[in-house]
Amino acid sequence: MRTEPRTASAAVSGGAAWVLAAAVLWGTTGTAQALAPTGASPLAVAAMRLAIGGAALFALAAWRGSFRAVVWRHPAALLAGASIALYQVAFFSGLLRTGVAVGTLIAIGSSPVVAGALEMLVARRRPTLAWLAATAVAVGGCALLLMGDGTWRVDAGGVLLALLAGASFALYTVAGKSLLRTVSADVAVPSIFVAGALLLAPLLFTTRLNWLANPRGLAVALHLGLIATAAAHGLYMRGLTTVSAAAGATLTLAEPLTAALLSVVVLGERLTAAAWLGAALVLAALAVLARTAAVAER
């Protein structure tokens, strides 16, 4: 009699673990870009990581025989691909204008809220009190984590771009979740990223790519494309098969936590007491949410 609930609970816990693993991989992007050689512009890096990631996902799906022309038959695939491409451009452009701390906070803080609202409209799923509480605590913790040094640089255009990035990621999550109801993650992920890579391909012809000739630049590009894009988004979509879009978007707040810890370990930066408190709040909120995430219908 109790086998089904336990199985469902285990599936949700497993889904949350996949999403958290994806967020950890995304958290390596800031450190990787900091190690990139001079001349690697944010937009060039964004286009290259999507091109490498999309190509890798397509090749893997073709080798497995799991790729189908889903992108042309399912509007959700095109919508998710366009959303992730728009996210890349809006996020990195927003960081340039308003700074890493403010831009990152606005983008990642708004994404779970927009995802929750979209899920209510599309899937008629009301957010749980646990999700609302965990999201509020996690976003507050991110504010302390990112603003621990008291540095603020607000630019109206940059704020709007960061909000656009947050909304784009939320739309990618909800559209991807919708696509997963009709196809497997092995089919959905390459379809989404082939579409996204094609949309950003023109940037490769308008930005300088000579930094790729540097071994360090090539290593950064391969890491961002293969690990922080292909592998991370594969894990994220796999997690979304059992975790709601709203919960998935909130769990990705592990990304700035990972980035902050890596900045200390790899780049030798120091966190303030407020930042450490923020990190603890984020970690606690994610732990609670990972245990209480609602099962999403497939």
Side-chain angles (χ1 to χ4, degrees):
M1 295 291 290
R2 296 183 180 179
T3 302
E4 186 175 347
R6 286 180 179 175
T7 302
S9 177
V12 174
S13 298
W18 291 122
V19 173
L20 287 171
V24 169
L25 293 183
W26 286 328
T28 66
T29 59
T31 300
Q33 286 181 308
L35 297 175
T38 304
S41 71
L43 291 182
V45 171
M48 182 55 62
R49 67 179 289 198
L50 211 57
I52 293 174
L57 288 167
F58 176 82
L60 180 61
W63 178 69
R64 288 177 173 175
S66 61
F67 184 79
R68 291 175 286 167
V70 175
V71 67
W72 311 121
R73 298 201 306 268
H74 292 272
L78 280 172
L79 183 59
S83 298
I84 201 63
L86 180 59
Y87 168 80
Q88 300 289 330
V89 175
F91 181 68
F92 289 112
S93 298
L95 295 190
L96 281 176
R97 295 191 59 167
T98 200
V100 174
V102 174
T104 302
L105 177 60
I106 293 173
I108 67 170
S110 62
S111 180
V113 178
V114 176
L118 287 175
E119 197 163 47
M120 279 196 296
L121 292 174
V122 175
R124 298 291 191 271
R125 184 183 301 280
R126 305 186 94 184
T128 64
L129 289 176
W131 175 80
L132 289 170
T135 299
V137 172
V139 171
C142 285
L144 290 173
L145 183 62
L146 294 169
M147 306 298 182
D149 60 357
T151 301
W152 290 78
R153 193 178 101 208
V154 179
D155 174 88
V159 169
L160 289 176
L161 285 168
L163 285 172
L164 179 60
S168 299
F169 188 84
L171 188 57
Y172 155 71
T173 298
V174 174
K177 178 69 179 177
S178 176
L179 184 62
L180 289 171
R181 294 190 177 96
T182 58
V183 300
S184 69
D186 289 341
V187 175
V189 177
S191 298
I192 291 170
F193 279 85
V194 165
L198 288 175
L199 288 171
L200 283 191
L203 285 178
L204 297 176
F205 300 98
T206 59
T207 56
R208 297 179 61 185
L209 300 177
N210 57 329
W211 54 276
L212 290 171
N214 185 312
R216 189 174 64 181
L218 181 60
V220 167
L222 290 174
H223 170 79
L224 292 175
L226 299 178
I227 305 301
T229 299
H233 284 279
L235 293 172
Y236 186 57
M237 283 293 158
R238 182 171 181 177
L240 285 182
T241 58
T242 56
V243 172
S244 70
T250 299
L251 288 169
T252 62
L253 294 179
E255 178 185 349
L257 176 61
T258 302
L261 295 178
L262 282 176
S263 71
V264 173
V265 176
V266 178
L267 302 179
E269 297 181 3
R270 293 185 179 182
L271 297 183
T272 64
W276 283 114
L277 174 60
L281 288 175
V282 173
L283 189 60
L286 296 180
V288 170
L289 185 61
R291 295 189 61 183
T292 60
V295 178
E297 293 182 6
R298 301 189 66 173

